[in-house]
Amino acid sequence: MQRALAHYVPREMAVLGLVELALSFLVIYIVMTLSGTPDWMLGSLGPLPGASAVPAALLALAIGIVALPIGLYQPEVCFDRARLLPATCLAAGLIFAVMLVFGGSITLDRALETARLCAAGLATMTLIRVAWGLDVIRNAMVRPILVLGSAPEAAAFKAALKTRRGRNFSLATMQGGDASWPALRRQGVWGVVIASGMDERTAAAMLDCKLRGLPVHSVAAFHDRYLGRVDLASLTAAGLLAGEGFARGPASAAIKRCFDIVIAICILLFTLPLMSAAALAIKLDSPGPVFYRQKRIGRFGATFTMLKFRSMTADAEACGKPRWAQRKDPRITPVGRFIRASRIDELPQLTNIIRGEMSLVGPRPERPHFVTQLSEAIPFYHQRSYVKPGLTGWAQVNYPYGASVEDAREKLAYDLYYVKHRSVWLDLIILMETVRVVLFRDGAR
């Protein structure tokens, strides 16, 4: 768990989450104490001293839980205060759902009381975000790193920091050619990335820095640990063979399969009314079938038929040549544009998951034509097929929709990271981030 947190949850975001949880609880508890906590919130606790702390803690925790999948603890969107209101509304919905499950009833008084307390939590989080967004705090969140290498290597690494996870870092410059521990400490350097070979003097200085606690990484290790991707530029078969990860036993595979079946069936049953409405809208919108069946490449290169709601005109590929979807693609129907943006068109793939052809989480399945093309253009592209393709994936929540070989190369860096580090914990992280992608249409096309 500690390793997982180090990989996927930036330290600053963990601190922000804990601060918001503590202060939201405190404010909600004070509001309850001053105005009187309703009996229905106290339940069997009755008039016990400090009994209001329990519902206050549960309410603050509910807000924090729904804030996670919305993206409020992700560095690139944590200052987007427009996401706070949806988080609060979803928290209230979660509370109402729990009330119904445990036999409670939702009355107007209960709804208003819950809304008032959620508003107190919302106001608290808003003030914290305003304070957190001040330059002095935002600058403190950025970690200066020194890159040891040639100018081209430093430029390539700087380009890598433009990814969504790289915004927590900035490039520092070495003053006077001095890479010793005292010099780097005076400059406020957080860590060092070694992009090329070093002489013995520099290597000894870096060893001293590392032993004193300064993070020192290779480019590949930095990409893996802090950017959540594989560095394709330095990737070799020998490196993959000697590196950690990849190995997963039968027990892990069985757990993932059970997880896929249970969650897929639950989502299928829950979204059945939505899927029925989508099918009717597609039929009324344009001539052609409701579902679109397409050959895709699955695990170990096996071909399977993937099911989707049709979002394009029936003759979208009348020329017979596969084409990537483009921005404002004229082949997309009006209903198709909505169901693609909201990811509703992907819901029929739940049947592929139940049949065992796909998983909830994994690299997105690609068409045979594009797999052949991309395997010839991009080294190690075939290695992404060593796991089942997924309804969503690490690349989908970290990189926008791509429609070129270069986009496929960037997404491969995330797909190989998933193949290397896949676990139930990472799957849960991806599923939570998928909620953000669907709600805010990040990367849709």
Side-chain angles (χ1 to χ4, degrees), residues 229-251:
R229 65 202 300 273
V230 169
D231 179 34
L232 297 179
S234 62
L235 189 63
T236 63
L240 287 175
L241 187 62
E244 61 180 8
F246 297 106
R248 292 295 179 271

Side-chain angles (χ1 to χ4, degrees), residues 48-383:
L48 292 176
S52 299
V54 175
L58 292 176
L59 186 55
L61 186 61
I63 296 175
I65 288 174
V66 298
L68 276 172
I70 287 180
L72 288 175
Y73 299 115
Q74 294 168 7
E76 68 279 6
V77 294
C78 71
F79 296 109
D80 183 4
R81 292 190 289 274
R83 302 189 182 215
L84 288 171
L85 183 57
T88 308
C89 294
L90 286 174
L94 178 61
I95 294 168
F96 293 147
V98 171
M99 288 170 55
L100 292 175
V101 168
F102 287 96
S105 59
I106 301 176
T107 64
L108 179 59
D109 289 342
R110 293 185 177 187
L112 291 175
E113 183 66 25
T114 302
R116 183 170 67 89
L117 295 174
C118 284
L122 172 63
T124 304
M125 293 179 69
T126 302
L127 291 175
I128 293 172
R129 301 266 164 171
V130 170
W132 202 265
L134 297 176
D135 287 342
V136 62
I137 297 180
R138 296 185 73 164
N139 292 337
M141 291 173 59
V142 177
R143 304 173 181 179
I145 53 176
L146 177 66
V147 180
L148 296 182
S150 64
E153 291 166 333
F157 186 77
K158 184 177 181 180
L161 292 183
K162 293 180 180 179
T163 61
R164 58 188 290 269
R165 293 179 178 271
R167 297 171 191 172
N168 286 335
F169 303 92
S170 64
L171 289 182
T173 57
M174 184 167 57
Q175 299 176 1
D178 188 356
S180 65
W181 161 255
L184 297 186
R185 189 177 182 183
R186 284 196 303 270
Q187 297 170 40
V189 172
W190 172 84
V192 178
V193 173
I194 301 172
S196 61
M198 299 175 293
D199 55 37
E200 283 298 318
R201 179 183 176 186
T202 305
M206 288 299 98
L207 179 59
D208 177 63
C209 289
K210 188 168 186 176
L211 292 174
R212 291 176 181 272
L214 188 75
V216 179
H217 300 284
S218 66
V219 172
F222 186 90
H223 274 253
D224 187 276
R225 184 172 182 83
Y226 296 106
L227 302 185
R229 65 202 300 273
V230 169
D231 179 34
L232 297 179
S234 62
L235 189 63
T236 63
L240 287 175
L241 187 62
E244 61 180 8
F246 297 106
R248 292 295 179 271
S252 177
I255 292 173
K256 182 176 176 65
R257 179 63 182 142
C258 291
F259 182 79
D260 283 344
I261 293 175
V262 172
I263 299 300
I265 291 175
C266 291
I267 296 176
L268 189 62
L269 293 175
F270 181 75
T271 59
L272 198 56
L274 177 63
M275 293 173 68
S276 300
L280 179 61
I282 292 168
K283 201 65 180 176
L284 295 175
D285 181 53
S286 62
V290 170
F291 296 105
Y292 181 59
R293 293 171 174 83
Q294 195 175 70
K295 294 295 182 182
R296 294 289 177 107
I297 299 297
R299 192 182 186 195
F300 300 135
T303 304
F304 71 98
T305 301
M306 190 182 78
L307 197 63
K308 296 180 69 173
F309 280 127
R310 181 176 59 84
S311 59
M312 293 187 176
T313 57
D315 59 347
E317 291 186 346
C319 62
K321 183 178 180 180
R323 290 191 294 162
W324 273 311
Q326 303 295 325
R327 291 190 180 277
K328 299 182 180 180
D329 198 313
R331 299 174 296 167
I332 301 176
T333 65
V335 169
R337 196 167 301 280
F338 173 77
I339 63 174
R340 287 171 74 95
S342 58
R343 303 304 201 278
I344 295 174
D345 65 323
E346 311 284 2
L347 288 176
Q349 291 163 43
L350 293 167
T351 59
N352 293 111
I353 295 172
I354 296 171
R355 290 202 300 252
E357 298 161 334
M358 292 178 60
S359 176
L360 277 172
V361 178
R364 284 295 294 160
E366 195 50 86
R367 301 173 69 175
H369 171 83
F370 293 132
V371 169
T372 301
Q373 176 187 352
L374 295 171
S375 296
E376 294 174 353
I378 307 173
F380 300 103
Y381 187 82
H382 179 67
Q383 273 63 33

